[in-house]
Amino acid sequence: MSGAPNQAPGLRYPSNKKTIYDRNLNRSKNAELSRAAFAYLFVEMISYAQKRAKNMVDLEKRLNDQGYPLGVRLLDLLLTRSANPLGAIRPTRILPLVQFIAQQLWRHLFGRAADSLERSDAVPGQFMLYDNEPLVNQYISLPRDMSGLNCAAFVAGIIEGVCDGAGFATEGVHAISVADQEGEEKAGLWPGKTVFLIKFKPEVLEREEILGRG
Amino acid sequence: MSYTFTILSPTDTPLFAHEFGTCRSGGDGVARFTASERALNPFILHSALDIVEEVQWGPSSSSGSAAMYLKHIDKYQNNFISCWITGANVRFLLLTRPRDEVLGLGSGAGGGARGSLAGGRAGLGGNAGGVYNPTSPATEEAVKNFFVDVYEAWVKTIMNPFFHVGNGDVVKSPVFRARVAAAAKKYL
């Protein structure tokens, strides 16, 4: 630290006396980020996680953990920036929440809405969010021995953060590439098509039912 | 009229607390709680959390989204509690204590606060009896504006990547406290 040793103790302010509380929240609303900068950072994040991970599951978990705090913060930020800030509303049922994720969150992160959202018939409380070409995977190539890894685990972490923050605890959000799981034909034109499986905990489903009955 | 404002995490951990009094017409902005009242306030706030949990999911006929401002949710003796819940389930609780004289009670236990009596009565929706009405549109509007200001400051606080929202980090910033005090002065 280069500060003089006889400086007054306590909070130090920058020389123009502006703190983060003086920054406007909407200042970065339409700001764009360089894709190259993101790709560079993401590659470094993966190698950081890879050095410490013991196996593939652990690596996906670490990427998930890196995205989680982003989700918690984005939830409040996007709600503040939504159409009518004074009449602010927040999602209280599962369906509006996942729609919020598919539309608002995706538009904020990737500039487009998610490609489709489905509810699973087989497993209650499971939702599938499809993304034909996740941006984060665009500059990642997977070696053959790690072909089961999907680096969109980072985005899955963001989704998990949003759901947990809103009070809908999940048992985990996983990113799975469709080509791996269901074969090349299912993926069709999109080899990188990824499905995000969001599974809500049973308590959340119970609460939905009780509230639905009214 | 005195207020206690607390921010609580979704796991009921207090993250921030601030006491102040009304600055409207004659009040000097200083809270006037006796020592016993001050000790009782945290209990009242925490018991109101049960009601927050019930009300936060909105009426069952709602279309799937609920407002963030939950308005007046609880009353304990002379204390009125209003609540604002953020998108991340962090609760802002405001405990309002109008002076006993305003409510027509004669006891001097409030410490003879004639100044804030004028503030309490004049700042509210013009009720002839001078009784504090927490559900009057003027009061609700004032409290809501206060909450909106604090919510903006709060969102700026959580945007800080070093502030661990889920872990119950306490807000220590004096700038945040100054913001809350300024919002209180402006609206309450």
Side-chain angles (χ1 to χ4, degrees):
Chain A
M1 292 287 275
S2 55
N6 52 354
Q7 221 171 8
L11 199 64
R12 287 182 3 217
Y13 292 91
S15 46
N16 59 355
K17 300 275 189 272
K18 290 223 178 275
T19 60
I20 64 164
Y21 291 102
D22 295 316
R23 284 174 68 134
N24 189 346
L25 273 177
N26 290 337
R27 196 172 101 160
S28 53
K29 190 170 182 175
N30 294 323
E32 292 182 345
L33 177 67
S34 133
R35 187 183 292 208
F38 172 70
Y40 184 62
L41 180 64
F42 192 56
V43 163
E44 283 308 309
M45 283 166 65
I46 296 182
S47 27
Y48 179 88
Q50 199 165 12
K51 269 195 225 102
R52 287 158 181 76
K54 304 176 226 18
N55 54 30
M56 218 159 65
V57 173
D58 199 25
L59 175 58
E60 282 205 5
K61 182 167 185 326
R62 278 176 191 269
L63 288 175
N64 194 313
D65 287 342
Q66 282 174 341
Y68 187 87
L70 283 183
V72 178
R73 292 179 169 86
L74 276 177
L75 176 59
D76 261 319
L77 187 65
L78 291 179
L79 287 177
T80 327
R81 288 183 182 173
S82 71
N84 180 6
L86 233 55
I89 56 173
R90 55 190 178 85
T92 48
R93 305 277 188 276
I94 291 187
L95 196 57
L97 176 71
V98 289
Q99 278 173 343
F100 171 79
I101 295 177
Q103 306 289 325
Q104 316 268 57
L105 186 71
W106 236 252
R107 255 185 250 273
H108 176 84
L109 290 175
F110 306 121
R112 55 182 167 85
D115 293 302
S116 77
L117 172 65
E118 288 168 24
R119 192 215 311 254
S120 155
D121 298 321
V123 185
Q126 175 159 302
F127 286 77
M128 284 98 69
L129 195 80
Y130 288 92
D131 193 345
N132 286 339
E133 203 186 340
L135 195 78
V136 298
N137 284 347
Q138 198 168 357
Y139 300 105
I140 311 287
S141 55
L142 298 168
R144 200 165 312 160
D145 56 344
M146 295 190 110
S147 60
L149 171 70
N150 190 330
C151 296
F154 177 65
V155 183
I158 300 183
I159 299 179
E160 197 172 340
V162 173
C163 291
D164 275 359
F168 294 84
T170 59
E171 280 176 12
V173 180
H174 301 288
I176 307 198
S177 30
V178 176
D180 270 353
Q181 200 180 44
E182 302 181 33
E184 295 289 330
E185 330 79 51
K186 247 324 176 59
L189 294 169
W190 308 100
K193 186 167 178 171
T194 310
V195 57
F196 294 93
L197 295 170
I198 309 173
K199 177 134 185 33
F200 290 103
K201 282 200 171 145
E203 303 93 64
V204 175
L205 299 173
E206 256 186 60
R207 186 180 67 207
E208 272 293 289
E209 208 182 329
I210 297 179
L211 289 171
R213 265 187 273 133
Chain B
M1 197 143 63
S2 313
Y3 299 90
T4 302
F5 173 69
T6 317
I7 300 185
L8 295 125
S9 80
T11 47
D12 301 341
T13 316
L15 303 179
F16 179 78
H18 190 55
E19 265 185 15
F20 49 91
T22 187
C23 289
R24 295 283 199 79
S25 35
D28 56 1
V30 176
R32 284 178 171 76
F33 287 112
T34 63
S36 60
E37 288 173 2
R38 197 166 271 140
L40 192 58
N41 282 341
F43 287 100
I44 303 177
L45 284 171
H46 279 72
S47 78
L49 284 176
D50 285 339
I51 308 198
V52 174
E53 304 245 333
E54 265 183 52
V55 180
Q56 79 181 52
W57 298 109
S60 54
S61 55
S62 75
S63 61
S65 19
M68 287 194 181
Y69 180 39
L70 298 179
K71 305 187 191 175
H72 169 242
I73 56 172
D74 192 19
K75 175 180 176 348
Y76 177 78
Q77 293 183 354
N78 300 342
N79 300 294
F80 300 90
I81 314 247
S82 335
C83 179
W84 169 287
I85 187 157
T86 72
N89 273 342
V90 171
R91 293 95 193 249
F92 297 167
L93 286 176
L94 180 73
L95 179 145
T96 311
R97 194 179 192 316
R99 288 288 95 216
D100 294 334
E101 293 90 344
V102 178
L103 297 172
L105 303 175
S107 76
R114 284 270 147 202
S116 51
L117 160 66
R121 198 188 284 172
L124 303 166
N127 191 328
V131 176
Y132 179 64
N133 179 8
T135 52
S136 76
T139 340
E140 280 190 351
E141 196 57 32
V143 176
K144 178 179 186 177
N145 287 333
F146 169 69
F147 277 140
V148 167
D149 263 8
V150 176
Y151 180 52
E152 263 189 48
W154 171 256
V155 175
K156 290 177 190 170
T157 310
I158 61 172
M159 285 295 124
N160 180 356
F162 299 114
F163 183 79
H164 299 286
V165 189
N167 281 353
D169 257 13
V170 174
V171 184
K172 297 193 201 108
S173 163
V175 185
F176 184 72
R177 195 169 283 272
R179 293 267 153 155
V180 173
K185 198 159 171 182
K186 200 161 137 195
Y187 295 114
L188 295 172

